[in-house]
Amino acid sequence: MDNKKLVEILQATAKRIEAEKAFLTELDNEIGDGDHGINLARGFAAVEKKLPELADKDIGAILKGVGMALVSSVGGASGPLYGTAYMKAGAAMKGKTELTPDDLAAAFDAAIGGVQMRGKAHEGEKTMLDAQMPASKAYKDALAAGKDVKAALKASVEAARKGVEYTKTILATKGRASYLGERSIGHQDPGATSSLMILEEFEKAL
Ligand code: ADP
Ligand code: MG
């Protein structure tokens, strides 16, 4: 994967989030304040606007720029969370113009580390981590088992999909949804859902 491919993926992600804006907002209506789709669409519109000036930079710098655009344009919790994820991935990929399958694993790990640093959540608390953490594990396990990057990403998306399903069964203990207590059960987490979408765009493009 080179910087050109990454820019393509980011453009596709921005389109996808814009298209899913109403759905993500509806999910957040159930257990939050109904702005997740609006937040992310605003964030990725800012990313799209910034892409022309980032496109010729190295992968680390592009990811960092994406993170900064998200942090500065999104008001909700998801802006700083996703923003930190992209910035941390960017720092881990600093100076790189090409990513190997193992680099991708390291970038994914760094992104998750950023979300955890910001939000202090763990797996099983009904957050975006419930899609991201199983997805990262499945990707690494697949590579370790000798699968190619395409197969590994497919396994990763499947794990994220399962993670989203899992969020329906559990209680939220972080973020706004935690105010609902038991009533959060039965609803899928908006952030886990948007994380799945972001990953799906990655898989599609590669
Ligand atoms: P807000 O909650 O401020 O309205 P959003 O609606 O944009 O922000 O985002 C909500 C999503 O953010 C949740 O669905 C959840 O996935 C994620 N989230 C909230 N708090 C945390 C946290 N501490 N760690 C990880 N993810 C979180
Ligand atoms: Mg919200």
Side-chain angles (χ1 to χ4, degrees):
M1 186 177 112
D2 59 9
N3 57 349
K4 220 176 129 217
K5 193 80 201 170
L6 176 62
V7 169
E8 258 174 52
I9 293 171
L10 290 164
Q11 274 160 344
T13 306
K15 278 206 180 64
R16 176 78 188 275
I17 294 295
E18 179 58 35
E20 307 273 13
K21 182 165 134 176
F23 175 57
L24 291 171
T25 287
E26 195 183 299
L27 292 177
D28 196 33
N29 248 333
E30 305 285 335
I31 56 169
D33 55 353
D35 63 356
H36 188 58
I38 296 164
N39 285 341
L40 276 195
R42 184 190 302 124
F44 275 97
V47 168
E48 225 180 351
K49 211 172 139 204
K50 203 170 165 184
L51 279 181
E53 67 184 78
L54 293 174
D56 292 331
K57 303 200 168 170
D58 67 70
I59 288 176
I62 295 173
L63 291 170
K64 187 177 162 208
V66 168
M68 284 165 58
L70 290 175
V71 167
S72 59
S73 62
V74 182
S78 59
L81 290 166
Y82 274 126
T84 308
Y86 278 99
M87 284 197 279
K88 289 286 177 189
M93 297 299 113
K94 193 175 174 178
K96 287 188 192 285
T97 50
E98 194 88 43
L99 298 192
T100 66
D102 284 332
D103 285 336
L104 210 52
F108 208 172
D109 269 347
I112 290 171
V115 173
Q116 290 200 289
M117 186 195 83
R118 270 271 157 190
K120 312 270 181 268
H122 302 282
E123 220 173 327
E125 294 197 277
K126 201 180 181 98
T127 72
M128 56 176 69
L129 289 170
D130 292 316
Q132 294 168 2
M133 292 178 82
S136 159
K137 183 175 184 303
Y139 178 78
K140 282 187 281 191
D141 287 350
L143 287 189
K147 301 243 170 75
D148 64 13
V149 68
K150 229 177 129 184
L153 274 172
K154 188 161 182 273
S156 172
V157 166
E158 271 158 23
R161 215 166 271 148
K162 268 197 203 150
V164 169
E165 287 304 308
Y166 169 62
T167 64
K168 291 182 186 169
T169 68
I170 56 175
L171 188 84
T173 49
K174 283 280 185 316
R176 271 180 211 283
S178 65
Y179 308 157
L180 285 183
E182 295 283 335
R183 281 188 295 138
S184 68
I185 295 177
H187 300 283
Q188 85 190 54
D189 181 64
T193 309
S194 57
S195 289
L196 168 63
M197 291 168 179
I198 291 170
L199 203 61
E200 280 174 344
E201 292 311 314
F202 236 93
E203 192 213 359
K204 261 193 244 166
L206 290 178

